[in-house]
Structures are given as structure tokens and as C-alpha cells.
Amino acid sequence: MNIHEYQAKAIFNDSGVKVVKGLHCTNLNEALQAYDELESTIVAVKSQIHAGGRGKGVLYDPNTNEKIMEGGVKIAFSREEVRKYASSIIGNKLVTKQTGEEGKIVNNLYIESGCEISHEYYLALLIDRDTKSVLIMGSTEGGVDIEEVAEKNPEAIHKIWADPLEGLKNEEVIRFSESLGLTGESKDEMVEMVNSLYSMFLDKDCSMIEINPLVKNSSGEIIALDGKVSFDDSAEFRHPWRDELRDLSEEEEVEIRADKYGLSYVKLDGNIGCLVNGAGLAMASMDVIKLYGSEPANFLDIGGGATSESITAAFEIILEDENVEGILVNIFGGIIQCDMVAKSVIKASKEIGLDVPLVVRFSGTNHVEGKNILNNSDLNVFTADTLAEGAEKIVSLTRGAQ
Amino acid sequence: MSIWIDENSKILIQGITGNQGTFHGTRMIDYDTDVVGGVTPGKGGQTLNFSGKEISVYDSMQEAIQKTNANVSVIYVPARFASAAIIEAANAFQANGGGLVVCITEGIPILDMVNAVANVEKCPDVRLIGPNCPGIITPREKGGCKVGIMPGFIHAKGRIGIVSKSGTLTYEAVAQTMSVGEGQSTCVGIGGDPINGTGFIDCLRAFENDSQTEAVVLIGEIGGSAEEEAAEWASKNMSKPIVGFVAGSTAPPGKRMGHAGAIISGGKGTAEEKFAAFERAGIHVARDPSEIGNVLVKALEEAGLR
């Protein structure tokens, strides 16, 4: 789960991580009020969407696609400029290199007091799969794409790892701050910030915290000028407060609905819908569809606890996608029994009025029974014994339809 | 031989009184697995009947191991309690001669796993497999030792070792070996979480040292770099042929594909990179999982094993 910058900064503030004062707003009036309240001659007007690259993004009118303004983060030097920028941002579509062409409608703004920057840094905390611990990564080159820094100037990136049982060692954090070229009070502030962020990472069950840029201001203070925070969804049960931070408009509605049925669904751009048990097999099914010359319309794992109800929901979700010209069901029965899936497929097809070709491949638990149920039904369905056979069949059937 | 489990393994089920523990415990016994007891805190003293076999329930792993001499534990407890169950099992085995802990549970918080794995690493005589995995199975002539949720009947004893991040895709790999008349020595599902216990390299090393195993099928998926590291290791250390497949060639970047670890982030962890690493390491690549069987035959023939 991702949250907005303004929400991340509220958590930073509560966790002892220094931020500059800012106010969240959802319309122009609030934005102007925020400007008055902040009493800062210079403010940043920042689009709030769950995607990076906002500063270099472009705003478009969502209806006409007419270009409105370049840059989703603006520095305003007057109340009038706040009015100009806020009205150009709110309700419009922001396209960044992370949003894709469709962009995101900006419903939230953050108005933040100005900050005199003497140096920009990069700081992130994330789970390192190799060392199986929390990695703290910093760079003297902030405000730019960290992947580019990693490629062109890897010596600018410094890393320390927290021992999972003993935590962060103070001398390592001090060395880390020094490696970023900090001295005196700035160094101490950085040490404090890293420690505070690490505590926050653990307390809130984060999966990533990224601050780009983290800045040293003109008086040497270390301040988080940006904030990107992701939470580990698996830990949601111990953080009921997260519900309030959730912005459903930032999530795919269909993926949320799928999740309610225990389905894991990701929409893709192809024409063959897939319904599979198991994440690995679901990916493999997509890959094989491509090998046989078509493109998958989705990733869909029905999970080990699938029922007739969830399989019907899965069919509905697949068929909502107008690009779908055929469906491949691929089940390797382990916990799931193929005969149950067969009955569910027949029921779902009738309820929904399935009107595209359907190929079903069964293997594993009760696959013979499942196949017999399908072949003896009046459903227009092709059965296959292997994944390759199933993929080849659905691709050729949809080709015929074109 | 086989790796890590065989017909002499004595298995405890953690979470035995729950739905999952009961359902899969029964199937493990039906496959002739020697389930010697179960653990559910607060429910010790009960006796359960699984497929006609009486199973005692204990309150703690320490007590259960001492009473039964178990050397393997399989965890079916809910995600929020699973890391504590892993740590309890690891400490109890370490205090009683060592053992294998297999965690099936899906959806364990990642920081819980960071903590659990660090605790397991302090127990040199304990191995953790999983979490979020189908488990491990060693088939015999009839039945065998099944520690997990895989359907036993699709397997047969043989000479192919299988290691995979995925559940059902492992079954697919098993079916592929069967389709060309090959059985399995041991099949290990290492799980699809970003932080887990046993990795690909541990499995490859064990298969290399196992006299029963003559070739290995390795099934990876997008995300992380475990496949690349395994390929690099194999090129230097494996004499036995390997067949490799990676799921997720068509997965879009930045999107989690079901498994917590299956995500291409910052352009890293793509299937293409992993396939390329396999090819560099001399691993026989199957681009289509339905081709694993045929590629395996070729690999065996090339090695003079068929």
C-alpha cells in the first residue's frame, strides 16, 4: 500500500523526522488559505499522486487532453502564483514517466513552506533480499533519478544494513553520515534522522521509505523535502489506522474487487483472458500465450481457497475487459479439485452468458472427472491436456474470430 | 538417498488442530508420511485421529520433540503467528540435535520474516524451507515422505531433483518429468516471498551431493536476483545437468504478480535477465513449461544419462 507525500510527512513529523510546515488541500480556496496560514513568501505547490516524477510531469485537461502546464510541482512566489498553479493542477491529469500515458487525476495538493537548500541528498530504507535485512541507502546526489546515479556514479551511493536482531549500530550510522560529507550538527541531525526512520520503518511495517531529495538547508538543518512511503500489506492486521490513509482512487478498482474474492488480478493489454491457480503457473500461462502468438489480457490467480462464487467473480472480472476475445482456464489441481472447477465454470458461463471461446486445461486432482463434466455439458468448451495444447487452441480460436 | 527428508523422517505438524493442519495432515499420512505428533499451544494432551492413525497434540515444540524424537516440522499456522512458530521450532530443534522446519503459511509480514530468518541463522543445525511454499516431498516406490500441500499422487520415485519458487508450477514441472518417464528424487518449493529460508543454491548444492539425483529442474520467477546467483554458482559447482524455466516473461514492470516477491522493480529482476544468466551458465533453458520434459531428455542424453 502506498500513501501520499502529505500523509508520509505527517508520519515523519510524528516519528521525529524533520519536515517543513505544509498543509494538505483539495481545492483552490483551501490552497489560498494554506498560503495565508503558512506565512511564507515562497511556497511549493505540489501535486499529490502515488507516482514519482511529478516535478517533470505534464498536466493535461482530462476531457480535451489539451496541455495545461508543465511541471506538477511548482514554486510560487506570491498568492497569485499559488492561485495560478493550484487551479492548473487540481482536477487535471498529471502524466509522469511513472504513470504511463493515461496519467493520474490530481485530487490532492500539498502547499509547503519554502526552504533554502544548500545541498540535496537521497535517502532510502528498504528490504534487501540478498542480506535479508533492512538496507539504508544514501547518496550525495539528491533530487535526481537514483537508478541513474547507481549506473553513472556508483561511488556516490553509500549503504548500511541494520542487523535484524541487534538493530542499527551507532558507529555505522555516524560513518554513514560522514560518508555523505556531513560534519558537525548536520552530521548529528542525519544520524538522528536515520535512527528515527529506522524506528518508523519497524513500527509501521514499511516496505520502503524514500526521501528524494533530503536537504541540508542554509542553516545546516537536515530536512525531508519529499517523502514516499510504502507499507507491507501482509502486516495490515496490526495497523488498522492505515485504512484512513488509503486513497482508493489511486488503486485499480477491479483489483480491489478481485481481492475481496481472494483473487489476485492484474489487468494487462492483450486479448486472451486467463484464469489459473497459483501465481507461478498464472505467469507461466501468460508467457505461453505469448509464445503461441497472442498477448495475455490479465494475470489471475484464483488461489488455493477458490470456490464456485470466487470463480464466477473471476469470469465476470475477466469479461469486463472489452479486449478479451477468448479465455484460457489452466488448473493444476492440488488442493483445488478439477471437478469443482468444472462445475463452477459451467455455472459461471451460464450466469454470465459467456460469448467468447473457452479452453480449459485440467491436470492433477480429479482432472479426469473435471474433463468429463465439461465434455458432457452443453457448454461450448474445448478441453486440453497440457498448457501448450491449451494455449495453442485458444490462440487459434481467437484468430478465427478476427 | 534424497535430500533433507526420507522415509525415516519423523514429522510434527505445527497448527495441527486448525483447518489447514487437519486437512493436509491427513493427506500427509495417506501418503505414508511418518507424522508423529502435532503442536497447538493450549491444546496439548488431545489425541486426534487422522486416517486411522492416532496423533498426540503437544503444547510446545520442545515437549513434542522430546516425546517423539521428531526431526522435521511443518507449519500451517496463520500468518500473524507463523514467525513465532518458526522461531520456536528452530530453537527447539537446535536444543535437540537439529531438524528441518517447513513453513507453508502465506502472507507473513516481511519484517517478521527478517526476524525469523535471523533467528534461524543462529541455529546451525536447523534448516528453514519457505514460507509461502508448497513444501518438500521425497517419493518412494509407494507413497513416500510428503511435508506440505502438494498432491502426492502426481509424483514417483526417480532421479530428477526439482526446486521451484512456485507451487502449482512445481507440479507442472513434476508432470513434465513424468511425461518423459522420469521420476523425482526430492522436490523442494522454496516459496515466492522476498525473504525466505532455503534458497536455490542450498538446494543445488544438496542435489549435487545426493547420489540419487542425476539432473535438476530449476523453476524461477521474476523479482530479485536469486536465479542469477544460482546460475553463477551452478556454472562453477554443478556437474549434474540443470533444466531451467523462469515464469513472468510477459509480466509488466512495477506490478506484483501474486507472490510478494514477484515484481520487476527499477528494471531489475526480469525473466529475460534470468534466462540470459541461465544460458551463460550452461543451464538447459525451457522457454515453454510444456517443453521442460523434452529439454530434460536432451540434457540427460547430452550427459550420457539416457
Coordinates of all heavy atoms in Angstrom, one line a residue, chain B residues 19-105:
Chain B
N19 N -7.8 -25.9 10.5 CA -8.4 -26.5 9.3 C -7.3 -27.0 8.4 O -7.3 -28.1 7.9 CB -9.2 -25.5 8.5 CG -10.5 -25.2 9.1 OD1 -11.0 -26.1 9.9 ND2 -11.1 -24.1 8.9
Q20 N -6.3 -26.1 8.2 CA -5.2 -26.5 7.2 C -4.4 -27.7 7.8 O -4.0 -28.6 7.1 CB -4.2 -25.3 7.0 CG -4.9 -24.1 6.4 CD -5.2 -24.4 4.9 OE1 -4.3 -24.9 4.2 NE2 -6.4 -24.0 4.5
G21 N -4.1 -27.6 9.1 CA -3.3 -28.6 9.7 C -4.0 -30.0 9.6 O -3.3 -31.0 9.3
T22 N -5.3 -30.0 9.9 CA -6.0 -31.2 9.8 C -6.1 -31.8 8.4 O -5.9 -32.9 8.2 CB -7.5 -31.0 10.4 OG1 -7.3 -30.4 11.7 CG2 -8.3 -32.2 10.4
F23 N -6.5 -30.9 7.5 CA -6.7 -31.3 6.1 C -5.4 -31.9 5.5 O -5.4 -33.0 5.0 CB -7.2 -30.1 5.3 CG -7.4 -30.3 3.8 CD1 -8.7 -30.8 3.4 CD2 -6.4 -30.2 2.9 CE1 -8.9 -31.0 2.0 CE2 -6.6 -30.4 1.5 CZ -7.9 -30.8 1.1
H24 N -4.3 -31.1 5.6 CA -3.1 -31.5 5.0 C -2.4 -32.6 5.8 O -1.7 -33.5 5.3 CB -2.2 -30.3 4.7 CG -2.7 -29.4 3.7 ND1 -2.9 -29.8 2.4 CD2 -3.3 -28.2 3.8 CE1 -3.5 -28.8 1.7 NE2 -3.7 -27.8 2.5
G25 N -2.6 -32.6 7.1 CA -2.0 -33.6 8.0 C -2.6 -35.0 7.6 O -1.8 -36.0 7.4
T26 N -3.8 -35.1 7.3 CA -4.5 -36.3 6.9 C -3.9 -36.8 5.5 O -3.6 -38.0 5.4 CB -6.0 -36.1 6.7 OG1 -6.5 -35.6 8.0 CG2 -6.7 -37.4 6.4
R27 N -3.7 -35.8 4.6 CA -3.1 -36.2 3.3 C -1.7 -36.6 3.4 O -1.2 -37.5 2.6 CB -3.3 -35.1 2.3 CG -4.6 -35.2 1.6 CD -5.3 -33.9 1.2 NE -6.7 -34.1 0.9 CZ -7.6 -34.2 1.9 NH1 -7.3 -34.1 3.1 NH2 -8.9 -34.5 1.5
M28 N -1.0 -36.0 4.3 CA 0.4 -36.5 4.5 C 0.5 -37.9 5.0 O 1.3 -38.7 4.5 CB 1.1 -35.5 5.5 CG 1.5 -34.2 5.0 SD 1.8 -32.9 6.2 CE 3.2 -33.6 7.1
I29 N -0.4 -38.2 5.9 CA -0.4 -39.6 6.5 C -0.9 -40.6 5.4 O -0.4 -41.7 5.2 CB -1.4 -39.6 7.7 CG1 -0.6 -39.0 8.9 CG2 -1.7 -41.1 8.1 CD1 -1.5 -38.7 10.1
D30 N -1.9 -40.2 4.6 CA -2.4 -41.0 3.5 C -1.2 -41.3 2.5 O -1.3 -42.3 1.8 CB -3.5 -40.3 2.7 CG -4.8 -40.2 3.5 OD1 -4.9 -41.0 4.6 OD2 -5.7 -39.5 3.2
Y31 N -0.2 -40.5 2.4 CA 0.9 -40.7 1.5 C 2.0 -41.5 2.3 O 3.1 -41.6 1.7 CB 1.5 -39.3 1.1 CG 2.4 -39.4 -0.1 CD1 2.0 -39.7 -1.4 CD2 3.8 -39.0 0.1 CE1 2.8 -39.7 -2.5 CE2 4.6 -39.1 -1.0 CZ 4.2 -39.4 -2.3 OH 5.0 -39.4 -3.4
D32 N 1.7 -42.0 3.4 CA 2.7 -42.8 4.2 C 3.7 -42.0 4.9 O 4.8 -42.5 5.3 CB 3.4 -43.9 3.3 CG 2.6 -45.1 3.2 OD1 1.6 -45.2 4.0 OD2 3.0 -46.0 2.4
T33 N 3.5 -40.7 5.1 CA 4.5 -39.9 5.8 C 4.4 -40.2 7.3 O 3.3 -40.3 7.8 CB 4.1 -38.4 5.6 OG1 4.0 -38.2 4.1 CG2 5.2 -37.5 6.1
D34 N 5.5 -40.2 7.9 CA 5.5 -40.6 9.4 C 5.2 -39.4 10.2 O 6.2 -38.8 10.8 CB 6.8 -41.3 9.7 CG 6.8 -41.9 11.1 OD1 5.7 -42.0 11.7 OD2 7.9 -42.3 11.6
V35 N 4.0 -39.0 10.3 CA 3.6 -37.9 11.2 C 3.5 -38.4 12.6 O 2.8 -39.4 12.9 CB 2.2 -37.3 10.8 CG1 1.8 -36.2 11.8 CG2 2.3 -36.8 9.4
V36 N 4.4 -37.9 13.5 CA 4.5 -38.4 14.9 C 3.8 -37.6 15.9 O 3.7 -38.0 17.1 CB 6.0 -38.6 15.3 CG1 6.6 -39.7 14.4 CG2 6.7 -37.3 15.2
G37 N 3.2 -36.4 15.5 CA 2.5 -35.6 16.5 C 2.3 -34.2 16.0 O 2.6 -33.9 14.8
G38 N 1.7 -33.4 16.8 CA 1.4 -32.1 16.4 C 1.5 -31.1 17.6 O 1.5 -31.5 18.8
V39 N 1.5 -29.8 17.3 CA 1.7 -28.8 18.3 C 0.6 -27.7 18.1 O 0.5 -27.2 17.0 CB 3.1 -28.2 18.3 CG1 3.1 -27.0 19.3 CG2 4.1 -29.2 18.7
T40 N -0.2 -27.5 19.1 CA -1.0 -26.3 19.2 C -1.0 -25.8 20.6 O -1.4 -26.5 21.5 CB -2.5 -26.6 18.7 OG1 -2.5 -27.1 17.4 CG2 -3.3 -25.3 18.8
P41 N -0.4 -24.6 20.8 CA -0.3 -24.1 22.2 C -1.7 -24.0 22.9 O -2.6 -23.6 22.3 CB 0.3 -22.7 22.1 CG 1.0 -22.7 20.7 CD 0.2 -23.6 19.9
G42 N -1.8 -24.6 24.1 CA -3.0 -24.6 24.8 C -3.9 -25.8 24.5 O -5.0 -26.0 25.1
K43 N -3.6 -26.6 23.5 CA -4.4 -27.7 23.2 C -3.7 -29.1 23.4 O -4.1 -30.1 22.9 CB -4.9 -27.6 21.7 CG -5.7 -26.4 21.5 CD -6.8 -26.6 20.5 CE -7.7 -25.4 20.5 NZ -8.4 -25.1 19.2
G44 N -2.6 -29.0 24.1 CA -1.8 -30.2 24.4 C -2.6 -31.2 25.2 O -3.6 -30.9 25.9
G45 N -2.3 -32.5 25.0 CA -3.0 -33.6 25.7 C -4.1 -34.2 24.9 O -4.5 -35.3 25.2
Q46 N -4.5 -33.6 23.8 CA -5.6 -34.2 23.0 C -4.9 -35.3 22.1 O -3.8 -35.3 21.9 CB -6.2 -33.1 22.0 CG -6.9 -32.0 22.6 CD -7.5 -31.1 21.6 OE1 -7.7 -31.5 20.4 NE2 -7.7 -29.8 22.0
T47 N -5.8 -36.2 21.7 CA -5.4 -37.1 20.7 C -6.3 -37.0 19.5 O -7.5 -37.0 19.6 CB -5.4 -38.6 21.2 OG1 -4.6 -38.6 22.4 CG2 -4.9 -39.6 20.2
L48 N -5.7 -36.9 18.3 CA -6.5 -36.7 17.1 C -6.4 -38.0 16.3 O -5.5 -38.8 16.5 CB -6.0 -35.6 16.2 CG -5.9 -34.2 16.9 CD1 -5.2 -33.2 16.0 CD2 -7.3 -33.7 17.3
N49 N -7.4 -38.3 15.4 CA -7.4 -39.4 14.6 C -7.4 -39.0 13.1 O -8.3 -38.4 12.6 CB -8.6 -40.3 14.9 CG -8.5 -41.7 14.2 OD1 -8.2 -41.7 13.0 ND2 -8.7 -42.7 14.9
F50 N -6.2 -39.2 12.4 CA -6.1 -38.9 11.0 C -6.0 -40.1 10.2 O -5.0 -40.9 10.4 CB -4.8 -38.0 10.8 CG -4.9 -36.6 11.2 CD1 -6.0 -36.1 11.9 CD2 -3.8 -35.7 11.0 CE1 -6.0 -34.8 12.3 CE2 -3.8 -34.4 11.4 CZ -5.0 -33.9 12.1
S51 N -7.0 -40.4 9.4 CA -7.0 -41.6 8.6 C -6.6 -42.9 9.4 O -5.8 -43.7 9.0 CB -6.0 -41.5 7.4 OG -6.5 -40.7 6.4
G52 N -7.2 -43.0 10.6 CA -7.0 -44.2 11.4 C -5.7 -44.2 12.2 O -5.5 -45.1 13.0
K53 N -4.9 -43.1 12.1 CA -3.7 -43.0 12.9 C -3.9 -42.1 14.1 O -4.4 -41.0 13.8 CB -2.5 -42.6 12.0 CG -1.2 -42.6 12.7 CD 0.0 -42.3 11.8 CE 1.3 -42.3 12.6 NZ 2.4 -42.0 11.8
E54 N -3.5 -42.5 15.3 CA -3.7 -41.6 16.4 C -2.5 -40.6 16.5 O -1.3 -41.1 16.5 CB -3.8 -42.4 17.7 CG -5.0 -43.3 17.7 CD -5.6 -43.5 19.0 OE1 -4.9 -43.6 20.0 OE2 -6.9 -43.6 19.1
I55 N -2.8 -39.4 16.7 CA -1.8 -38.3 16.7 C -1.9 -37.5 18.0 O -3.0 -37.0 18.3 CB -1.9 -37.4 15.5 CG1 -2.0 -38.1 14.2 CG2 -0.8 -36.3 15.5 CD1 -0.7 -38.6 13.6
S56 N -0.9 -37.5 18.8 CA -0.9 -36.7 20.0 C -0.6 -35.2 19.7 O 0.3 -34.9 18.9 CB 0.1 -37.2 21.0 OG -0.2 -38.6 21.3
V57 N -1.3 -34.4 20.5 CA -1.1 -32.9 20.4 C -0.3 -32.5 21.6 O -0.6 -32.9 22.7 CB -2.4 -32.2 20.3 CG1 -2.2 -30.7 20.2 CG2 -3.3 -32.7 19.2
Y58 N 0.7 -31.6 21.4 CA 1.5 -31.1 22.5 C 1.4 -29.6 22.5 O 1.0 -29.0 21.5 CB 3.0 -31.5 22.3 CG 3.2 -33.0 22.2 CD1 3.2 -33.7 20.9 CD2 3.3 -33.8 23.3 CE1 3.3 -35.0 20.8 CE2 3.5 -35.2 23.2 CZ 3.5 -35.8 22.0 OH 3.6 -37.1 21.9
D59 N 1.8 -29.0 23.7 CA 1.7 -27.6 23.8 C 2.9 -26.8 23.2 O 2.7 -25.7 22.9 CB 1.6 -27.2 25.3 CG 0.2 -27.4 25.8 OD1 -0.8 -27.1 25.1 OD2 0.0 -27.9 27.0
S60 N 4.0 -27.5 23.2 CA 5.2 -26.8 22.7 C 6.0 -27.7 21.8 O 6.0 -29.0 21.9 CB 6.1 -26.3 23.9 OG 6.7 -27.4 24.5
M61 N 6.9 -27.1 21.0 CA 7.8 -27.9 20.2 C 8.8 -28.6 21.0 O 9.1 -29.8 20.7 CB 8.5 -27.0 19.2 CG 7.7 -26.6 18.0 SD 7.2 -28.0 16.9 CE 8.8 -28.4 16.3
Q62 N 9.3 -28.0 22.0 CA 10.3 -28.6 22.9 C 9.8 -29.9 23.5 O 10.4 -31.0 23.4 CB 10.6 -27.6 24.1 CG 11.5 -28.1 25.1 CD 13.0 -28.4 24.6 OE1 13.4 -27.9 23.6 NE2 13.7 -29.1 25.4
E63 N 8.5 -29.9 24.0 CA 7.9 -31.1 24.6 C 7.7 -32.1 23.5 O 8.0 -33.3 23.6 CB 6.6 -30.7 25.2 CG 5.9 -31.8 25.9 CD 4.4 -31.5 26.2 OE1 4.0 -30.4 25.9 OE2 3.7 -32.4 26.7
A64 N 7.2 -31.7 22.3 CA 6.8 -32.6 21.2 C 8.1 -33.3 20.7 O 8.0 -34.5 20.5 CB 6.2 -31.8 20.1
I65 N 9.2 -32.6 20.6 CA 10.4 -33.2 20.0 C 10.9 -34.2 21.0 O 11.3 -35.4 20.7 CB 11.5 -32.2 19.7 CG1 11.0 -31.3 18.6 CG2 12.8 -32.8 19.4 CD1 11.8 -30.0 18.4
Q66 N 10.9 -33.9 22.3 CA 11.4 -34.8 23.3 C 10.6 -36.1 23.4 O 11.1 -37.1 23.7 CB 11.5 -34.1 24.7 CG 12.7 -33.1 24.6 CD 13.0 -32.4 25.9 OE1 12.1 -32.2 26.8 NE2 14.2 -31.9 26.1
K67 N 9.3 -35.9 23.3 CA 8.4 -37.1 23.4 C 8.5 -38.0 22.1 O 8.2 -39.2 22.2 CB 7.0 -36.7 23.6 CG 6.8 -36.0 25.0 CD 6.1 -36.9 26.0 CE 6.1 -36.3 27.4 NZ 5.2 -35.2 27.5
T68 N 8.7 -37.4 21.0 CA 8.5 -38.1 19.7 C 9.8 -38.3 18.9 O 9.8 -39.1 18.0 CB 7.6 -37.4 18.8 OG1 8.2 -36.1 18.4 CG2 6.2 -37.1 19.4
N69 N 10.9 -37.7 19.3 CA 12.2 -37.7 18.5 C 12.0 -37.2 17.1 O 12.7 -37.6 16.2 CB 12.7 -39.1 18.5 CG 13.5 -39.4 19.7 OD1 14.2 -38.6 20.3 ND2 13.4 -40.7 20.2
A70 N 11.1 -36.3 16.9 CA 10.8 -35.7 15.6 C 12.1 -35.0 15.1 O 12.8 -34.4 15.9 CB 9.6 -34.8 15.6
N71 N 12.3 -34.9 13.8 CA 13.4 -34.1 13.2 C 12.9 -33.2 12.1 O 13.7 -32.6 11.4 CB 14.5 -35.0 12.7 CG 14.1 -36.1 11.8 OD1 12.9 -36.1 11.4 ND2 15.0 -36.9 11.3
V72 N 11.6 -33.2 11.9 CA 11.0 -32.3 10.8 C 9.7 -31.7 11.4 O 9.0 -32.3 12.1 CB 10.7 -33.1 9.5 CG1 10.0 -32.1 8.5 CG2 11.9 -33.7 8.9
S73 N 9.5 -30.4 11.1 CA 8.3 -29.8 11.5 C 7.7 -29.1 10.3 O 8.4 -28.5 9.5 CB 8.5 -28.8 12.6 OG 7.6 -27.8 12.6
V74 N 6.3 -29.1 10.1 CA 5.7 -28.4 9.1 C 4.7 -27.4 9.7 O 4.0 -27.8 10.6 CB 5.0 -29.3 8.0 CG1 4.0 -30.2 8.7 CG2 4.4 -28.5 6.9
I75 N 4.7 -26.2 9.2 CA 3.9 -25.1 9.9 C 2.7 -24.7 9.0 O 2.9 -24.3 7.9 CB 4.8 -23.9 10.2 CG1 5.9 -24.3 11.1 CG2 4.0 -22.7 10.7 CD1 7.0 -23.2 11.4
Y76 N 1.5 -24.9 9.6 CA 0.3 -24.5 9.0 C -0.4 -23.4 9.8 O -1.6 -23.2 9.6 CB -0.7 -25.7 8.8 CG -0.2 -26.7 7.9 CD1 0.2 -28.0 8.4 CD2 -0.1 -26.5 6.5 CE1 0.6 -29.0 7.5 CE2 0.3 -27.5 5.6 CZ 0.6 -28.7 6.1 OH 1.0 -29.7 5.3
V77 N 0.3 -22.7 10.6 CA -0.4 -21.7 11.5 C -0.6 -20.4 10.7 O 0.1 -20.1 9.8 CB 0.4 -21.4 12.8 CG1 0.8 -22.7 13.5 CG2 1.6 -20.6 12.5
P78 N -1.7 -19.6 11.1 CA -2.0 -18.4 10.4 C -0.8 -17.4 10.4 O 0.1 -17.4 11.3 CB -3.1 -17.8 11.2 CG -3.7 -18.9 12.0 CD -2.6 -19.9 12.2
A79 N -0.8 -16.5 9.4 CA 0.4 -15.7 9.1 C 0.8 -14.9 10.3 O 2.0 -14.7 10.5 CB 0.0 -14.7 7.9
R80 N -0.1 -14.4 11.1 CA 0.3 -13.5 12.2 C 1.1 -14.2 13.3 O 1.8 -13.6 14.1 CB -0.9 -12.7 12.8 CG -2.0 -13.6 13.4 CD -3.1 -12.8 13.9 NE -3.9 -12.1 12.8 CZ -4.8 -11.2 13.1 NH1 -5.1 -10.8 14.3 NH2 -5.5 -10.7 12.0
F81 N 0.9 -15.5 13.4 CA 1.6 -16.3 14.4 C 2.8 -17.1 13.8 O 3.5 -17.8 14.5 CB 0.7 -17.3 15.1 CG -0.6 -16.6 15.6 CD1 -1.9 -17.0 15.1 CD2 -0.5 -15.6 16.6 CE1 -3.0 -16.4 15.6 CE2 -1.7 -15.0 17.1 CZ -2.9 -15.4 16.6
A82 N 3.0 -17.1 12.5 CA 3.9 -18.0 11.8 C 5.3 -17.8 12.2 O 6.1 -18.7 12.4 CB 3.7 -18.0 10.3
S83 N 5.7 -16.5 12.3 CA 7.2 -16.3 12.5 C 7.5 -16.8 13.9 O 8.6 -17.3 14.2 CB 7.6 -14.8 12.3 OG 7.0 -14.0 13.3
A84 N 6.6 -16.6 14.9 CA 6.9 -17.1 16.3 C 7.0 -18.6 16.2 O 7.8 -19.2 16.9 CB 5.8 -16.7 17.2
A85 N 6.2 -19.3 15.4 CA 6.2 -20.7 15.3 C 7.5 -21.2 14.7 O 8.1 -22.2 15.1 CB 5.0 -21.2 14.4
I86 N 8.0 -20.4 13.7 CA 9.3 -20.8 13.0 C 10.4 -20.7 14.1 O 11.2 -21.6 14.2 CB 9.6 -19.8 11.9 CG1 8.7 -20.0 10.7 CG2 11.1 -20.0 11.4 CD1 8.8 -19.0 9.6
I87 N 10.4 -19.6 14.8 CA 11.5 -19.4 15.8 C 11.4 -20.5 16.9 O 12.4 -21.0 17.3 CB 11.4 -18.0 16.4 CG1 11.7 -16.9 15.3 CG2 12.4 -17.8 17.6 CD1 11.4 -15.5 15.7
E88 N 10.2 -20.8 17.4 CA 10.0 -21.8 18.4 C 10.6 -23.2 17.9 O 11.3 -23.8 18.6 CB 8.6 -22.0 18.8 CG 8.4 -22.9 20.0 CD 7.0 -23.4 20.2 OE1 6.0 -22.8 19.6 OE2 6.8 -24.4 20.9
A89 N 10.2 -23.5 16.7 CA 10.7 -24.8 16.1 C 12.2 -24.8 16.0 O 12.8 -25.8 16.3 CB 10.0 -25.0 14.7
A90 N 12.8 -23.7 15.5 CA 14.2 -23.7 15.2 C 14.9 -23.8 16.6 O 15.9 -24.7 16.7 CB 14.6 -22.4 14.6
N91 N 14.5 -23.1 17.6 CA 15.2 -23.2 18.9 C 15.1 -24.6 19.5 O 16.0 -25.2 20.0 CB 14.7 -22.1 19.8 CG 15.1 -20.7 19.4 OD1 16.2 -20.6 18.8 ND2 14.4 -19.7 19.8
A92 N 13.9 -25.2 19.3 CA 13.6 -26.5 19.9 C 14.5 -27.6 19.2 O 15.0 -28.4 19.8 CB 12.1 -26.8 19.9
F93 N 14.5 -27.5 17.9 CA 15.4 -28.5 17.2 C 16.8 -28.3 17.5 O 17.6 -29.3 17.7 CB 15.2 -28.3 15.6 CG 13.9 -29.0 15.1 CD1 13.0 -28.4 14.3 CD2 13.7 -30.4 15.5 CE1 11.9 -29.1 13.8 CE2 12.5 -31.0 15.0 CZ 11.6 -30.4 14.2
Q94 N 17.3 -27.0 17.6 CA 18.7 -26.8 17.9 C 19.1 -27.4 19.2 O 20.2 -27.9 19.4 CB 19.0 -25.3 17.8 CG 20.4 -24.9 18.0 CD 21.3 -25.5 16.8 OE1 20.8 -25.6 15.7 NE2 22.5 -25.8 17.2
A95 N 18.1 -27.3 20.2 CA 18.4 -27.9 21.5 C 18.3 -29.4 21.5 O 18.7 -30.0 22.5 CB 17.4 -27.2 22.5
N96 N 17.8 -30.0 20.4 CA 17.6 -31.4 20.5 C 18.2 -32.1 19.2 O 17.6 -33.0 18.7 CB 16.1 -31.7 20.6 CG 15.5 -31.3 21.9 OD1 15.6 -32.0 22.9 ND2 14.9 -30.1 21.9
G97 N 19.3 -31.7 18.8 CA 20.0 -32.4 17.7 C 19.8 -31.9 16.3 O 20.3 -32.5 15.4
G98 N 19.0 -30.9 16.2 CA 18.8 -30.3 14.8 C 17.5 -30.8 14.1 O 16.8 -31.7 14.6
G99 N 17.2 -30.1 13.0 CA 16.0 -30.5 12.3 C 15.7 -29.6 11.1 O 16.4 -28.6 10.9
L100 N 14.6 -29.9 10.5 CA 14.1 -29.2 9.3 C 12.8 -28.6 9.6 O 11.9 -29.2 10.1 CB 14.0 -30.1 8.1 CG 13.3 -29.6 6.8 CD1 14.3 -28.6 6.2 CD2 13.0 -30.7 5.9
V101 N 12.6 -27.2 9.3 CA 11.4 -26.5 9.6 C 10.8 -26.1 8.2 O 11.5 -25.4 7.4 CB 11.6 -25.3 10.4 CG1 10.3 -24.6 10.7 CG2 12.3 -25.7 11.7
V102 N 9.6 -26.5 7.9 CA 9.0 -26.2 6.6 C 7.8 -25.3 6.9 O 6.8 -25.8 7.5 CB 8.6 -27.5 5.8 CG1 8.0 -27.2 4.5 CG2 9.7 -28.5 5.7
C103 N 7.8 -24.1 6.4 CA 6.7 -23.2 6.7 C 5.9 -23.0 5.4 O 6.3 -22.4 4.4 CB 7.2 -21.8 7.2 SG 5.9 -20.8 7.6
I104 N 4.6 -23.4 5.4 CA 3.7 -23.4 4.3 C 3.0 -22.0 4.2 O 2.7 -21.5 3.2 CB 2.7 -24.5 4.4 CG1 3.3 -25.9 4.6 CG2 1.7 -24.5 3.2 CD1 4.2 -26.3 3.5
T105 N 2.8 -21.4 5.4 CA 2.0 -20.2 5.5 C 2.3 -19.1 4.5 O 3.5 -18.8 4.3 CB 2.1 -19.7 7.0 OG1 1.9 -20.7 7.9 CG2 1.1 -18.5 7.2

